[in-house]
DNA sequence: CTAATAGTGTCTATTAGACAGTATGTT
DNA sequence: AACATACTGTCTAATAGACACTATTAG
């Protein structure tokens, strides 16, 4: 082995191909909230949480749906790569983005070795008026979960995608799960796993952080906010308890939401940091 | 653009070098618990939580300390790569291992573009009798943290390593922080960031999971367990509250710890799943 | 009036925090 | 006896869950 006298000498001589290199991608879970149909002039719209998928028009997995994603440039920061994809796919800038997990199974891409780092983005769908790319579509996410199986249905109004994940406790743990795809017809790559990973993170974080407000419009009623929580957590909440918990995260405005065939609701806004959030 | 009629045709023809490839490594935070010196025959040993570092004997960062890590093989799963390093560096198999975060700054390695996925491993140091590799050493971790600065001191008895991290709120968030290295003399790469990331994850998870028990011996007293919590959380806990919380996670044995110059303590063991954990 | 949501009051149950007290070993 | 930890009892404060009640609108 050759001896070097300085870091510089070493670097000059370094053969960066000593180990065979691989490709990396980033995949992004873009989550938002959609309104369901209004059944009745009095009733509130149901809320779904939803995810943006893209239809592949190329091999591999031609005509299957997948998460927005792309290759990481050789000089590009991982997070920048995620941001670039967000800008391209949905014309989105300056939004909530969080790294989720890195998937590194050697067979996850049929082309070659590709490691993928997934990110989760949260947006208010209403602010991005129609500018999503033409292959993209919003799917409502409906999840049934028990001890062992996670059953996910994605619905964009035209097409329904279903997949099933097997959840087993990891060895040496009582808290962590290993996920395996049991059934998946319509999603490319290992994206069912990525989606499940993101849903689980979102569910967790909504309880102890303020990330929901990234998916809310500037003004909202507490009822609407509660419906969003309920859609994500997939369970009913009690009104007084809910209001107690979020009371110090929001502030009243002097606006009201009227015209619903019932008592008008006060519009609130997020009391995060000062108002520089919205721009 | 060429048209393909099947996935197979496409794959046969695919040029895997369309995007310039990069190298990946895994770095592992191996956490454990160490006993401090006994001040007095009556007193309990202080507990520290500690981390395994390796002294680099090659460029880059020659003679600096770093996390155990290594390049990911072209056909190697990420997690397998972490396990391989654990086996090599500390002769460890079948232990708690959790993916933490993927660091992808393009300049984090002076040699070339290297993306690194970090893992956290938790072990009971006492079960791995002296078999760590010769360049490795356990460092006690002492952390001072306020709103803005995280001040970390690592101490292996011979050498003291210090670094400082600046913590700033990320845009569009009230919950997430961006970390920057303010001072770092002795650690290679961006490893101060990795360490801080791991400490923060460990602190969080110890409160709502059972991961501590991966760092405990089979039998322990509640006092010892409490000291471990206190070392990791960096604060004193109240005895009755602590005992209430962990009561249903542990079970009494008929063994006692005697000889401490004070009332003997009952030895407990982890009541996780059945006894197949330990082997 | 009615259906439907908005919003509040209050009782109860559970959990967390605090402190004081008793127990029991070694030197 | 004295020190140090082990362990428990109990009071209080804070939080979560449950239910019932009042308010207000469009049709």
């Amino acid at each position: 082995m050759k001896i070097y006298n300085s870091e510089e000498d070493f670097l000059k001589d370094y053969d960066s191909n000593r180990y065979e290199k691989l490709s990396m991608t980033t995949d992004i879970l873009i989550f938002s909230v959609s309104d369901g149909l209004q059944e009745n002039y009095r009733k509130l719209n149901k809320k779904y949480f939803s995810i943006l998928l893209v239809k592949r028009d190329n091999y591999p997995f031609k005509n299957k749906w997948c998460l927005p994603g792309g290759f990481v440039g050789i000089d590009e920061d991982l997070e920048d790569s995620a941001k670039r994809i967000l800008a391209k796919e949905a014309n989105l800038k300056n939004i909530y983005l969080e790294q989720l997990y890195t998937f590194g199974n050697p067979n996850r891409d049929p082309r070659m070795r590709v490691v993928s780092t997934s990110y989760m983005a949260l947006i208010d769908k209403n602010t991005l008026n129609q500018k999503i790319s033409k292959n993209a579509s919003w799917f409502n996410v409906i999840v049934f979960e028990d001890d062992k199986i996670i059953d996910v249905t994605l619905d964009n109004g035209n097409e329904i995608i279903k997949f099933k994940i097997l959840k087993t406790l990891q060895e040496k743990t009582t808290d962590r799960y290993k996920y395996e795809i049991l059934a998946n017809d319509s999603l490319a790559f290992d994206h069912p796993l990525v989606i499940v990973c993101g849903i689980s993170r979102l569910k967790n974080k909504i309880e102890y952080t303020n990330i929901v407000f990234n998916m809310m419009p500037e003004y909202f009623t507490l009822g609407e906010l509660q419906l969003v929580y309920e859609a994500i957590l997939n369970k009913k909440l009690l009104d007084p308890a809910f209001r107690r918990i979020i009371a110090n995260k929001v502030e009243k405005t002097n606006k009201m939401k009227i015209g619903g065939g019932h008592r008008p609701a006060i519009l609130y806004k997020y009391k995060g940091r000062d108002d520089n959030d919205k721009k």
Side-chain angles (χ1 to χ4, degrees), chain A:
Chain A
M1 195 190 219
K2 198 169 162 186
I3 307 290
Y4 296 96
N5 293 312
S6 78
E7 186 120 349
E8 276 167 57
D9 285 353
F10 164 84
L11 290 173
K12 224 176 291 169
D13 212 30
Y14 186 79
D15 170 19
S16 77
N17 290 307
R18 243 161 80 181
Y19 300 90
E20 198 177 341
K21 297 186 178 183
L22 46 79
S23 300
M24 276 199 80
T25 58
T26 49
D27 290 315
I28 311 181
L29 292 157
I30 307 177
F31 285 128
S32 187
V33 170
S34 307
D35 288 325
L37 294 175
Q38 191 169 33
E39 294 170 30
N40 167 327
Y41 82 97
R42 278 189 207 277
K43 283 202 167 173
L44 286 179
N45 290 324
K46 238 188 125 174
K47 299 272 180 191
Y48 292 94
F49 82 107
S50 44
I51 184 173
L52 191 75
L53 297 180
V54 176
K55 190 149 202 168
R56 296 183 61 81
D57 49 10
N58 276 106
Y59 292 109
F61 298 106
K62 191 170 171 174
N63 294 323
K64 299 212 168 190
W65 292 93
C66 73
L67 296 168
F71 285 93
V72 176
I74 188 70
D75 283 318
E76 185 181 40
D77 187 81
L78 277 185
E79 192 163 317
D80 289 342
S81 149
K83 284 179 183 160
R84 175 171 55 80
I85 291 153
L86 272 171
K88 176 181 146 226
E89 216 65 61
N91 217 326
L92 286 167
K93 279 178 192 156
N94 189 237
I95 61 162
Y96 184 89
L97 186 66
E98 169 180 347
Q99 187 184 299
L100 276 179
Y101 196 79
T102 299
F103 293 84
N105 185 301
N107 305 116
R108 54 179 298 286
D109 191 309
R111 291 168 291 189
M112 57 188 170
R113 180 72 194 275
V114 180
V115 172
S116 176
T117 297
S118 53
Y119 284 82
M120 167 171 93
L122 304 180
I123 67 168
D124 166 20
K125 226 174 77 167
N126 307 303
T127 64
L128 67 75
N129 36 356
Q130 90 282 328
K131 286 178 185 165
I132 61 173
S133 78
K134 74 173 205 312
N135 290 326
S137 176
W138 286 103
F139 286 76
N140 290 344
V141 181
I142 301 119
V143 183
F144 292 99
E145 180 168 357
D146 64 24
D147 290 352
K148 287 173 189 161
I149 304 278
I150 307 176
D151 206 308
V152 181
T153 304
L154 307 174
D155 183 349
N156 73 344
N158 275 317
E159 243 176 292
I160 291 186
I161 297 175
K162 281 175 180 290
F163 60 85
K164 244 194 246 287
I165 304 274
L166 177 68
K167 212 170 94 178
T168 40
L169 269 173
Q170 283 199 339
E171 263 184 276
K172 294 287 298 168
T173 337
T174 50
D175 311 289
R176 293 184 58 228
Y177 293 94
K178 205 173 62 190
Y179 298 102
E180 275 168 275
I181 301 174
L182 279 187
N184 169 41
D185 293 328
S186 319
L187 280 177
F189 304 103
D190 50 4
H191 289 181
L193 295 178
V194 185
I195 291 173
V196 161
C197 171
I199 292 172
S200 132
R201 178 85 128 251
L202 180 59
K203 260 190 175 176
N204 265 315
K205 280 211 150 181
I206 200 177
E207 304 228 50
Y208 67 94
T209 71
N210 299 333
I211 53 174
V212 227
F213 297 105
N214 293 293
M215 297 194 278
M216 299 302 292
E218 186 165 8
Y219 299 101
F220 49 83
T221 71
L222 297 185
E224 287 165 350
L225 185 59
Q226 188 173 340
L227 286 173
V228 172
Y229 270 86
E230 290 174 350
I232 291 168
L233 295 175
N234 208 5
K235 67 176 180 208
K236 268 262 152 227
L237 304 175
L238 292 167
D239 302 7
F242 178 75
R243 279 158 190 262
R244 271 195 302 246
I245 290 163
I246 57 146
N248 42 10
K249 297 183 179 180
V250 296
E251 60 187 333
K252 264 186 199 166
T253 67
N254 50 13
K255 300 185 180 62
M256 301 278 271
K257 179 164 190 172
I258 54 169
H262 51 255
R263 176 172 171 181
I266 297 170
L267 285 165
Y268 285 77
K269 54 191 287 189
Y270 175 46
K271 189 176 77 185
R273 295 172 277 169
D274 288 340
D275 216 36
N276 312 327
D277 270 311
K278 266 290 129 44
K279 226 266 312 275

